[in-house]
Amino acid sequence: MSLSCGILAAVEARYAFLRLHDIEADPGGIISEQAIWGTIKPSQEKVWILFWLSKEEYCRNIEAYYPVNLRMGLSGWGKFRLEVLPLEAAFRMYWGGRYWYVSADGRMWLSSLRESSFTSTEKADELPLLTWSTDRETPADLSGEHGNVFRSSLPLEKIMLWHENLKALGWSKNVKYIQAGFREGNYVVRLILYGPDGENGANIMLPDDPKEWQTTGLAIKKIYPEVSAISPGIFIDATYKDKILVKNRVQ
C-alpha cells in the first residue's frame, strides 16, 4: 500500500493528472479571473475531485459578490464550465440613501454596482420606484453579510401585488414613487403621482394590504376617473374602512 501510494504521488507530481486544469466562464467578462480562481483552496487545485465536491460552496461565495446565478459542470478531465446567469431585477428600491435593484428571489444589490450593467433591469426601470421608510423593518442586515449581493427580508409577494394592482387600475404610468411607510401605528403605502413637468404631484395613501387596493382604487376612480388630472396639491387618504378623505396637501 505504501509503495502504491508512493507511485501514485510520483506520477501525480510528474504528470499532474489530478490537478485542476481549467475553469471556463460562459459568458466571459462578467466575473473576473481573480474571483474565479482566487476562492479556490490549494488542496482543491491539486485534486480537482475535491473542488467538484465543494462546487456549491464555491458558487455561493462568488454569488455573494456578483448579481448572478452560477451553474458548474464538468467539461473534461480536471476541466470545468461555469455557466454565468445574470439576475433579473424585479423592481428598483431607494433605501438607506442609496438605490438598489431587487430580484424576484429577494436578493438585492446597489444599482451603482459595476456588474449591474450585465443584469436585466429593463422591467424594473419601467416600474415606479419603491422607497422604503426607516420606520419599517430593515430590509437587509448589511453588517452581518459579506459581499455586494444581500439577502433581503422584504415582503416580496406583497410588493409585487402592489405593482400588479397599479397595473390593473391603470395607474402604473402615473405613479412616480411608491412609499412604504408607517403612520399612527399602522403600515401604509403612499403613492406619489407625477405632477406637471415631472415634479411630485398628488398623493394617495392606501392600506398596506394589497387585497384592499382594488375596492379602494375603484372608489377613487369614481371621484377622479383620470388620476393624471388630479391637482398636484391634493392628498387622498384611503386608509379608512368606510370613507375616503380628499384634502389639500400640506407642503
Side-chain angles (χ1 to χ4, degrees):
M1 184 179 294
S2 299
L3 180 61
S4 299
C5 290
I7 293 173
L8 181 62
V11 173
E12 161 58 24
R14 182 178 178 84
Y15 298 104
F17 70 95
L18 288 179
R19 302 296 172 91
L20 175 58
H21 293 294
D22 186 36
I23 301 176
E24 180 185 0
D26 181 28
I30 297 178
I31 301 176
S32 69
E33 288 294 316
Q34 181 180 1
I36 291 174
W37 289 96
T39 55
I40 302 174
K41 299 176 182 178
S43 59
Q44 295 171 345
E45 284 196 60
K46 292 179 180 179
V47 182
W48 67 262
I49 297 174
L50 297 178
F51 176 68
W52 174 251
L53 294 174
S54 61
K55 63 177 181 177
E56 293 183 1
E57 180 184 0
Y58 170 81
C59 290
R60 285 196 301 269
N61 288 337
I62 295 180
E63 288 171 351
Y65 289 86
Y66 290 83
V68 297
N69 283 320
L70 299 179
R71 295 176 183 171
M72 177 73 75
L74 277 169
S75 61
W77 184 266
K79 297 180 179 180
F80 293 86
R81 179 177 179 271
L82 185 63
E83 186 177 4
V84 182
L85 305 170
L87 294 181
E88 179 177 1
F91 58 90
R92 197 162 58 104
M93 177 178 69
Y94 181 78
W95 169 71
R98 293 181 286 183
Y99 292 92
W100 303 81
Y101 282 119
V102 183
S103 65
D105 65 357
R107 281 180 281 179
M108 53 186 280
W109 63 96
L110 286 171
S111 61
S112 59
L113 191 68
R114 184 186 70 85
E115 289 75 20
S116 286
S117 61
F118 297 105
T119 60
S120 177
T121 62
E122 291 81 4
K123 292 181 181 179
D125 292 336
E126 291 176 355
L127 296 176
L129 175 70
L130 172 67
T131 64
W132 197 260
S133 170
T134 54
D135 295 331
R136 293 245 181 174
E137 181 182 352
T138 302
D141 182 10
L142 304 185
S143 63
E145 296 188 44
H146 299 286
N148 300 320
V149 182
F150 305 92
R151 290 283 179 181
S152 77
S153 56
L154 290 165
L156 297 173
E157 183 178 356
K158 180 181 292 186
I159 292 171
M160 297 313 297
L161 284 175
W162 292 344
H163 285 292
E164 288 180 15
N165 282 333
L166 291 181
K167 183 178 180 180
L169 290 167
W171 291 355
S172 293
K173 299 297 184 182
N174 303 111
V175 177
K176 187 175 183 180
Y177 306 117
I178 301 174
Q179 291 183 345
F182 190 79
R183 190 192 69 165
E184 298 177 357
N186 295 307
Y187 290 129
V188 294
V189 178
R190 186 189 293 255
L191 307 180
I192 311 300
L193 305 183
Y194 279 104
D197 301 321
E199 299 295 327
N200 292 350
N203 289 196
I204 301 176
M205 185 173 289
L206 296 168
D208 185 70
D209 188 353
K211 295 178 182 178
E212 301 181 32
W213 282 32
Q214 282 294 320
T215 302
T216 303
L218 291 174
I220 294 174
K221 292 185 76 170
K222 288 184 178 180
I223 304 173
Y224 296 101
E226 296 293 334
V227 292
S228 59
I230 302 177
S231 172
I234 293 296
F235 171 65
I236 301 173
D237 188 346
T239 58
Y240 300 96
K241 289 186 177 181
D242 301 320
K243 59 184 177 180
I244 295 175
L245 297 182
V246 179
K247 56 186 178 180
N248 291 325
R249 181 161 49 91
V250 177
Q251 300 295 333

